[in-house]
């Protein structure tokens, strides 16, 4: 089975500063990796995904993530955050042999004006 | 439709009542998933459908939980004799294929009093 660890439950950051949200996974098979964002009282919205190929993945809203197989990580980054980026961020892993995805417990990003 | 639609958005049930939560996936999406999200947690897998077939129900917490998708489109998650620990947001997601990631609905917030 797969599992996901999001190391930081809360990340405060000043507006226009860079941010990195950490995600580590465990799996014995090849995986798909995703980052989702959840705004208050809304469902989850896909930010970006890694399936194969280039390890640097670019997503919506200026976010990007890098797949590192040796470190089993998929950290999310943004060079300059906006107030509107304040939300909950979830990392998810799925195996190419299964159907369901496993989610981390989430990281609450708060952008401070 | 354009997105995944869930109804009702909010449901308050007295302990012991039965509830039914509806999910209308994106047209043409073969795969449909139900997740349960407790407060401050990531989504936890409940069950998975491929068309009308329920291929995985390993995440259903008890035999009080039942899901169906009789015509391979709309799905209903039913919870019988609700308990306080059932209070959570129930998320539905649909997917075209495994590598696409999920498209989530806005969820149904169930509160059992």
């Amino acid at each position: 089975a797969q599992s996901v660890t999001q190391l930081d439950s809360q990340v405060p950051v000043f507006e226009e500063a860079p941010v990195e949200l950490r995600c580590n996974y465990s799996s014995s098979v090849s995986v798909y990796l995703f980052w989702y964002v959840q705004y208050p009282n809304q469902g989850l919205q896909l930010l970006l995904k890694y399936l194969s190929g280039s390890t640097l993945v670019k997503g919506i809203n200026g976010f990007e993530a890098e797949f590192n197989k040796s470190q089993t990580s998929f950290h999310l980054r943004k060079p300059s955050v906006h107030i509107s980026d304040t939300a909950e961020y979830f990392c998810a892993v799925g195996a190419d042999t299964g159907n369901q995805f496993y989610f981390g417990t989430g990281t609450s990003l708060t952008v401070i004006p | 439709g354009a997105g995944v639609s869930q109804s009702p958005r909010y449901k308050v049930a007295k302990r012991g009542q039965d509830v039914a939560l509806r999910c209308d996936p994106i047209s043409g999406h073969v795969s449909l998933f139900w997740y349960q999200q407790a407060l401050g947690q990531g989504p936890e897998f409940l069950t998975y459908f491929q068309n009308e077939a329920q291929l995985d129900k390993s995440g259903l917490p008890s035999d009080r939980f039942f899901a169906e998708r009789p015509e391979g489109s709309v799905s209903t998650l039913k919870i019988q004799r609700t308990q306080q620990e059932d209070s959570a947001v129930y998320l539905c997601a649909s997917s075209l294929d495994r590598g696409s990631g999920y498209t989530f609905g806005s969820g149904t917030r169930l509160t059992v009093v």
Side-chain angles (χ1 to χ4, degrees), chain A residues 9-31:
Chain A
S9 60
Q10 296 184 349
V11 173
V13 61
F14 286 104
E15 191 175 15
E16 297 184 3
V19 70
E20 178 180 82
L21 306 184
R22 296 181 293 170
C23 172
N24 287 85
Y25 69 92
S26 66
S27 176
S28 58
V29 298
S30 297
V31 297

Side-chain angles (χ1 to χ4, degrees), chain B residues 96-111:
Chain B
L96 191 58
D97 55 58
R98 190 180 294 147
S100 301
Y102 297 170
T103 300
F104 279 88
S106 297
T108 294
R109 183 178 296 277
L110 173 66
T111 303

Side-chain angles (χ1 to χ4, degrees), chain B residues 10-75:
Chain B
Y10 303 93
K11 176 69 179 177
V12 179
K14 290 185 177 180
R15 193 162 55 125
Q17 271 187 330
D18 298 348
V19 298
L21 313 179
R22 177 190 168 102
C23 172
D24 202 337
I26 293 174
S27 178
H29 278 196
V30 169
S31 300
L32 185 146
F33 303 81
W34 284 98
Y35 278 77
Q36 180 190 59
Q37 187 177 19
L39 190 63
Q41 299 295 315
E44 297 275 350
F45 171 80
L46 292 177
T47 187
Y48 159 66
F49 289 87
Q50 185 171 315
N51 295 308
E52 68 279 3
Q54 190 175 19
L55 300 185
D56 187 346
K57 54 181 180 179
S58 61
L60 296 177
S62 77
D63 59 7
R64 296 186 295 104
F65 287 71
F66 173 75
E68 59 183 6
R69 194 186 185 196
E71 297 179 358
S73 179
V74 171
S75 177

Side-chain angles (χ1 to χ4, degrees), chain A residues 12-68:
Chain A
V13 61
F14 286 104
E15 191 175 15
E16 297 184 3
V19 70
E20 178 180 82
L21 306 184
R22 296 181 293 170
C23 172
N24 287 85
Y25 69 92
S26 66
S27 176
S28 58
V29 298
S30 297
V31 297
Y32 301 151
L33 292 157
F34 304 84
W35 274 98
Y36 284 85
V37 60
Q38 187 175 35
Y39 299 102
N41 297 316
Q42 294 188 25
L44 283 76
Q45 179 183 3
L46 181 65
L47 273 179
L48 48 78
K49 60 186 177 185
Y50 171 79
L51 306 179
S52 64
S54 173
T55 57
L56 183 62
V57 180
K58 293 189 183 297
I60 63 171
N61 301 341
F63 284 94
E64 63 181 31
E66 186 159 17
F67 172 60
N68 187 319

